[in-house]
């Protein structure tokens, strides 16, 4: 093993392998019980792991991933992070922040994935933050596939290398090494400790399943820690068949990465596309309902792309008495809140449709 190139990089053992990590989270995001949405009409308690509060650059689940990508970039002596995402990507925004924290440059490629959005979507929210963090922005047209997006990253990297730079590419495709998922292997241990401390019985975990690293990491981390807790991934971009295959592939790659390919079996991988609605970045009346219920009954902000859907899934799970077996739902709040300020028009429409005050039946 090579010695870390930067004093800010530590080595963490996960499974049977060692990984460089650049710490970006200072505290432990809390685990909170929802006071008003829990227990209502026989609904199970809902505990929220507040990974929207991971801190760096307005936080979210991507901070945990970036600890491992930034760690490896520093350990390899790289000088620039390169990443791709939707225009309002939280991943891209947190990467730009991590680059600032670690003293690296950042190039980001924004994909026009969501049709029919306004100027606020293109310049506000996460895009404003990307520019504040000083990242260099590139753009990819609407019809680009995931493979096109990754090829775009490689082209940016080649251009930088030609100028004598040493870039580190964070690819998106499921076939690439899922290094970011290591952050959620560590998070699983943290969550199990918090559950034990709270003295509650959790019987279901519900999370958003997008690129799939968070889902794969948390699931692998629970099994590595000896927990058989079921994890349901709520699809936010693809249908259940595609997402199931994607999580299977990533869990396989992750198991090999940590030298423990035996941890996750086919039955462990559970996804639902019941809350996908019209697709990525778009909501159904039900997912807008969950989004507004969290705000109006708990003062809890969700985002319009990921957690509106995953929280609708958590509410439905908490209402399913057979699945809950008397225990609580653990809901992972993955953040994404800066996008609220880029979806104003869509949220306005949801507000107009909902009318004032708490939504009955949510
Ligand atoms: C990226 C993101 C997710 C999905 O995480 P993956 O690891 O890509 O599956 C969920 N919620 C928010 C807010 C995100 O930004």
């Amino acid at each position: 093993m090579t010695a870390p190139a930067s004093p800010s990089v530590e080595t963490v053992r996960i499974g049977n392998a060692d990984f460089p990590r650049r710490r970006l989270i200072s505290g432990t995001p809390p685990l909170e019980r929802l006071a008003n949405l829990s227990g209502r009409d026989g609904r199970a308690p809902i505990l929220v792991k507040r990974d929207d509060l991971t801190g760096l650059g307005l936080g979210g689940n991507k901070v945990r991933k970036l600890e491992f990508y930034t760690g490896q970039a520093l350990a390899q002596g790289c000088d620039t992070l390169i990443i791709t995402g939707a225009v309002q990507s939280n991943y891209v925004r947190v990467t730009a922040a991590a680059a600032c924290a670690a003293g690296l440059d950042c190039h980001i490629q924004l994909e026009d994935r969501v049709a029919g959005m306004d100027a606020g979507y293109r310049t506000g929210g996460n895009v404003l933050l990307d520019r504040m963090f000083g990242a260099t922005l590139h753009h990819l047209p609407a019809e680009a596939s995931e493979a096109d997006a990754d090829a775009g990253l490689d082209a940016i990297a080649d251009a930088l290398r030609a100028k004598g730079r040493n870039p580190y590419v964070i690819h998106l495709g499921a076939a690439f090494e899922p290094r970011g998922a290591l952050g959620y292997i560590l998070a699983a241990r943290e969550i199990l400790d918090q559950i034990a401390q709270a003295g509650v019985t959790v019987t279901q975990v519900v999370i958003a399943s997008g690129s799939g690293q968070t889902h794969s990491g948390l699931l692998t981390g629970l099994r590595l820690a000896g927990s058989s807790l079921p994890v349901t991934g709520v699809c936010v971009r693809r249908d259940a068949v595609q997402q199931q295959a994607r999580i299977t592939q990533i869990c396989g790659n992750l198991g090999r990465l940590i030298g423990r390919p035996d941890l996750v079996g086919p039955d462990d991988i559970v996804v639902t596309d019941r809350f996908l609605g019209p697709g990525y970045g778009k909501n159904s009346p039900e997912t807008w309902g969950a989004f507004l219920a969290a705000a109006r009954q708990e003062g809890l902000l969700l985002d319009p792309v990921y957690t509106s859907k995953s929280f609708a899934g958590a509410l439905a799970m908490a209402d399913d008495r057979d699945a809950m077996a008397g225990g609580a739902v653990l809901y992972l709040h993955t953040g994404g809140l800066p996008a609220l300020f880029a979806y104003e028009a869509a949220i306005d429409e949801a507000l107009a449709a909902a009318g004032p005050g708490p939504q009955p039946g949510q």
Side-chain angles (χ1 to χ4, degrees), residues 60-62 65 88-91 93 172 184 207-216 236 243 247 280 303 305-307 310 332-337:
N61 62 336
K62 302 312 182 315
K65 299 188 190 185
Q88 284 297 328
S89 167
N90 302 300
Y91 202 1
R93 178 249 312 165
L172 185 61
Y184 272 91
I207 62 172
S209 197
S211 78
Q213 287 208 8
T214 303
H215 183 173
S216 303
V236 296
Q243 194 66 13
I247 301 302
Y280 183 81
D303 86 287
V305 180
Y306 298 94
T307 52
S310 58
L332 181 71
H333 191 328
T334 42
L337 302 182

Side-chain angles (χ1 to χ4, degrees), residues 62-74:
K62 302 312 182 315
V63 180
R64 293 190 191 270
K65 299 188 190 185
L66 260 303
E67 290 199 326
F68 286 91
Y69 287 117
T70 310
Q72 196 186 34
L74 292 171

Side-chain angles (χ1 to χ4, degrees), residues 10-313:
E10 63 189 35
T11 300
V12 199
R13 185 153 194 91
I14 299 177
N16 292 321
D18 291 322
F19 300 95
R21 174 193 192 191
R22 165 64 159 86
R23 257 188 211 266
L24 298 168
I25 309 175
S26 43
T28 303
L31 183 70
E32 295 172 347
R33 183 183 191 276
L34 292 184
N36 305 317
L37 285 168
S38 289
R40 186 176 168 144
D41 299 329
R43 174 182 285 160
I46 301 172
L47 304 174
V48 181
K49 171 62 172 174
R50 296 293 305 273
D51 265 14
D52 53 322
L53 302 178
T54 51
L56 177 76
L58 292 181
N61 62 336
K62 302 312 182 315
V63 180
R64 293 190 191 270
K65 299 188 190 185
L66 260 303
E67 290 199 326
F68 286 91
Y69 287 117
T70 310
Q72 196 186 34
L74 292 171
Q76 292 180 350
C78 295
D79 54 25
T80 307
L81 300 180
I82 307 180
I83 187 154
T84 191
V87 172
Q88 284 297 328
S89 167
N90 302 300
Y91 202 1
V92 159
R93 178 249 312 165
V94 172
T95 301
C100 294
L104 303 170
D105 283 346
C106 186
H107 281 247
I108 64 189
Q109 173 179 268
L110 300 180
E111 308 161 29
D112 229 333
R113 268 187 221 164
V114 187
M117 301 303 282
D118 59 12
Y121 176 81
R122 286 172 202 296
T123 58
N126 282 305
V127 180
L128 179 67
L129 301 182
D130 297 339
R131 292 169 50 224
M132 286 175 61
F133 291 130
T136 304
L137 273 58
H138 304 256
H139 291 273
L140 206 64
E143 61 278 9
S145 67
E146 197 166 68
D148 292 341
D150 280 328
L153 297 183
D154 292 330
I156 295 168
D158 285 342
L160 287 170
R161 279 187 207 104
K163 290 187 199 160
R165 305 302 305 263
N166 187 8
Y168 182 91
V169 178
I170 303 172
H171 291 103
L172 185 61
F176 289 92
E177 181 187 82
R179 186 165 290 262
L182 297 171
Y184 272 91
I185 295 185
L186 298 189
R189 178 81 265 167
E190 183 179 307
I191 288 169
L192 288 171
D193 288 347
Q194 286 179 309
I195 293 172
Q197 237 162 37
V200 285
T201 303
V202 169
T203 53
Q204 295 285 343
V205 178
V206 177
I207 62 172
S209 197
S211 78
Q213 287 208 8
T214 303
H215 183 173
S216 303
L218 193 65
L219 182 56
T220 301
L222 290 170
R223 298 301 177 266
L224 180 64
S227 164
S228 58
L229 253 180
V231 176
T232 299
V234 177
C235 296
V236 296
R237 187 173 178 194
R238 299 170 194 83
D239 68 26
V241 172
Q242 288 176 290
Q243 194 66 13
Q244 180 93 21
R246 189 177 179 98
I247 301 302
T248 302
Q249 183 180 9
I250 297 174
C251 284
N253 290 342
L254 183 59
R256 284 185 287 277
L257 181 63
I258 65 168
R260 290 294 307 270
D262 52 321
L263 291 169
V264 174
D267 294 348
D268 286 323
I269 299 173
V270 180
V271 300
T272 174
D273 57 12
R274 211 187 111 192
F275 308 95
L276 182 56
Y280 183 81
K282 304 277 183 189
N283 282 284
S284 65
E286 184 179 13
T287 60
W288 278 130
F291 173 89
L292 290 179
R296 294 183 168 183
Q297 295 180 53
E298 298 285 351
L300 179 71
L301 293 176
L302 301 177
D303 86 287
V305 180
Y306 298 94
T307 52
S308 49
K309 291 174 182 167
S310 58
F311 191 68

